[in-house]
């Protein structure tokens, strides 16, 4: 004899989950609107601000002191304004923003569906495991892709504005953060998978 009886959350827990869902929807809507605005700005291609990263060891500036004189400093990043953005820079920028919208919508959508399942008292299931894995993998790959396309935008902008006079724009990679995020996602997915199996085994004994 098996039982599929689900546990009921307290009102406080249910309220917290509902609040989480509403907050997630608002975040997705906000980021989508901001990304659309950025897409329009990139497509227009006039006076576009672009964040650029540099190699600090080769890019230096002199910071003026209040008492006079200056001090040398390394330049990590700066926002430059492109009077006219070339298509080779605008296209990767637009792709990055579209990818950001898709990533945010998928990740938050999966988490909202997961929260909805938890609200019904079902925490561990194959569906919930799939939702967690989908959200994690999409977020990991999606945000890495956004970073990649944003760097393409920055590098192409620097090359156009300086006429290839600055050769230190970079495509930054953070392997430790990427590996750590992948480990956390794999751990959470494993926990949900084991929890689902244990729950099914427990229900089979009831």
């Amino acid at each position: 004899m098996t039982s599929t009886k689900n546990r009921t959350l307290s009102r406080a827990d249910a309220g917290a989950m509902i609040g989480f869902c509403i907050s997630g929807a608002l975040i997705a809507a906000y980021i989508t609107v901001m990304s659309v605005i950025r897409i329009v700005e990139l497509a227009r291609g006039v006076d576009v601000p672009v964040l650029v990263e540099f190699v600090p060891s080769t890019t230096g500036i002199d910071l003026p002191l209040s008492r006079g004189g200056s001090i040398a400093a390394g330049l990590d990043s700066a926002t430059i304004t492109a009077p006219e953005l070339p298509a080779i820079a605008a296209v990767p920028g637009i792709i990055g923003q579209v990818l950001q919208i898709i990533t945010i919508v998928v990740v938050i959508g999966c988490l909202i569906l997961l929260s909805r399942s938890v609200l019904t008292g079902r925490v561990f299931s194959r569906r919930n495991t799939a939702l967690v894995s989908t959200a994690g993998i999409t977020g990991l790959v999606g945000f890495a892709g956004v970073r990649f396309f944003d760097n393409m935008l920055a590098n192409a902008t620097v090359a156009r504005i300086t006429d290839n006079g600055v050769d230190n724009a970079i495509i930054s990679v953070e392997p430790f953060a990427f590996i750590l995020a992948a480990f956390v996602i794999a751990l959470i997915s494993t926990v949900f998978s084991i929890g689902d199996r244990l729950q099914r085994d427990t229900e089979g004994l009831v």
Side-chain angles (χ1 to χ4, degrees), residues 55-138:
V55 179
S57 60
T58 59
T59 307
I61 59 174
D62 293 327
L63 295 178
L65 302 176
S66 59
R67 63 178 181 274
S70 62
I71 183 173
L75 181 63
D76 293 317
S77 63
T79 298
I80 61 176
T81 300
E84 184 178 352
L85 196 66
I88 194 174
V91 171
I94 292 173
I95 294 175
Q97 293 302 310
V98 172
L99 182 58
Q100 178 169 272
I101 294 174
I102 294 174
T103 301
I104 289 295
V105 170
V106 171
V107 170
I108 292 182
C110 287
L111 295 180
I112 288 176
L113 290 175
L114 177 63
S115 299
R116 182 181 176 183
S117 179
V118 173
L119 282 171
T120 64
R122 188 75 177 183
V123 178
F124 298 111
S125 67
R126 291 180 179 176
R127 177 175 177 271
N128 288 354
T129 302
L131 288 173
V132 170
S133 300
T134 300
I137 294 173
T138 301

Side-chain angles (χ1 to χ4, degrees), residues 7-205:
R7 297 177 177 85
T8 302
L9 296 180
S10 66
R11 289 186 178 182
D13 291 337
M17 295 299 294
I18 293 173
F20 171 81
C21 293
I22 294 174
S23 299
L26 291 176
I27 291 172
Y30 173 78
I31 293 179
T32 298
V33 170
M34 297 305 296
S35 293
V36 170
I37 293 175
R38 180 62 171 171
I39 289 172
V40 173
E41 186 178 49
L42 291 169
R44 188 168 58 91
V46 179
D47 295 331
V48 182
V50 178
L51 179 65
V52 180
E53 295 184 0
F54 299 94
V55 179
S57 60
T58 59
T59 307
I61 59 174
D62 293 327
L63 295 178
L65 302 176
S66 59
R67 63 178 181 274
S70 62
I71 183 173
L75 181 63
D76 293 317
S77 63
T79 298
I80 61 176
T81 300
E84 184 178 352
L85 196 66
I88 194 174
V91 171
I94 292 173
I95 294 175
Q97 293 302 310
V98 172
L99 182 58
Q100 178 169 272
I101 294 174
I102 294 174
T103 301
I104 289 295
V105 170
V106 171
V107 170
I108 292 182
C110 287
L111 295 180
I112 288 176
L113 290 175
L114 177 63
S115 299
R116 182 181 176 183
S117 179
V118 173
L119 282 171
T120 64
R122 188 75 177 183
V123 178
F124 298 111
S125 67
R126 291 180 179 176
R127 177 175 177 271
N128 288 354
T129 302
L131 288 173
V132 170
S133 300
T134 300
I137 294 173
T138 301
L140 190 66
V141 176
F143 287 121
V146 171
R147 179 78 169 175
F148 173 77
F149 286 113
D150 281 347
N151 278 302
M152 288 183 64
L153 163 64
N155 293 347
T157 301
V158 169
R160 176 61 178 269
I161 291 179
T162 65
D163 194 21
N164 294 316
V166 177
D167 193 27
N168 61 338
I170 60 174
I171 294 182
S172 59
V173 179
E174 299 177 0
F176 178 76
F178 188 85
I179 294 173
L180 180 61
F183 173 78
V184 172
I185 291 168
L187 177 62
I188 295 174
S189 298
T190 301
V191 169
F192 268 79
S193 178
I194 294 174
D196 174 40
R197 186 169 63 251
L198 291 176
Q199 180 168 285
R200 284 187 283 110
D201 290 344
T202 301
E203 290 175 347
L205 296 175

